[in-house]
Amino acid sequence: MKSILLTAFSCHALALVFLLHWVGFRFNWTDSMPYGIYQIVPGRPNRGDMITFSLDELNPYCSISTERHYLGLNGNRPLLKVLAGLPGDSLEITEEGILINSILLPHTKAKAADSNGRELPIFLNSTVIPTAKGLALSTYTENSFDSRYFGLVDIDRMQRVIPVLTFKLGG
């Protein structure tokens, strides 16, 4: 009897997870943004909106991140970031970090190597952000895998996200 109940509970729990994913709920367990539950919502993202997207398969970091498991063991898991720069914005890379329209964004100083000592190539350059591109960053932590490294992202790849239930562990 216990086995039947456990199986039934497991099936229902799994069905609930798939249903929540189908209606746009996502779970974040990475340090780039607060842990918790987020929901994809309709609408074009604006500056400051939280966004989710996957790297373009043609981006050199797609293969680097797959090889190094930056985006999970299964490859190109979607990222959760903030849309920090829009087309027409002045983007400047400095030793202190990234400036958008001459304003330094917190926690954006690029690192030369990852936590395992492997070189982190940087594909982002100072420029005016072109049409249809955006700067995706986490200003929540300095150790985020974001546009500092893989460069600008197509805005059409981005979906707006809102936090539903978030929390911070250990502090």
Side-chain angles (χ1 to χ4, degrees):
M1 183 65 170
K2 283 184 182 180
S3 173
I4 293 172
L5 289 175
L6 183 59
T7 301
F9 174 78
S10 298
C11 288
H12 283 89
L14 188 59
L16 180 61
V17 168
F18 280 112
L19 176 65
L20 289 171
H21 191 270
W22 185 70
V23 296
F25 287 92
R26 301 296 185 267
F27 300 90
N28 178 55
W29 300 109
T30 69
D31 293 331
S32 290
M33 300 293 283
Y35 300 121
I37 302 170
Y38 295 82
Q39 183 179 19
I40 296 172
V41 294
R44 188 166 182 86
N46 295 308
R47 180 186 321 279
D49 284 349
M50 296 177 85
I51 54 171
T52 187
F53 61 93
S54 294
L55 287 179
D56 185 322
E57 293 77 21
L58 299 176
N59 185 308
Y61 253 110
C62 194
S63 61
I64 292 170
S65 64
T66 298
E67 175 187 310
R68 296 180 182 183
H69 304 294
Y70 289 162
L71 302 176
L73 297 176
N74 296 330
N76 197 6
R77 186 179 71 213
L79 294 112
L80 178 65
K81 305 296 173 199
V82 171
L83 181 54
L86 295 170
D89 284 347
S90 170
L91 167 64
E92 186 179 352
I93 311 302
T94 70
E95 288 187 20
E96 291 78 33
I98 295 176
L99 284 79
I100 292 291
N101 301 324
S102 302
I103 298 171
L104 180 63
L105 302 176
H107 305 296
T108 58
K109 182 177 180 177
K111 299 191 180 290
D114 68 12
S115 60
N116 292 316
R118 298 171 293 198
E119 180 187 358
L120 285 168
I122 296 174
F123 298 121
L124 187 64
N125 297 303
S126 295
T127 188
V128 172
I129 298 177
T131 301
K133 296 286 188 178
L135 181 71
L137 295 174
S138 170
T139 56
Y140 181 73
T141 179
E142 62 188 24
N143 294 322
S144 179
F145 177 58
D146 55 28
S147 280
R148 285 178 274 187
Y149 307 103
F150 53 72
L152 300 172
V153 177
D154 292 334
I155 290 178
D156 289 343
R157 295 184 76 83
M158 299 176 185
Q159 294 177 289
R160 285 182 56 228
V161 175
I162 59 169
V164 175
L165 176 65
T166 61
F167 53 93
K168 185 175 181 177
L169 294 177

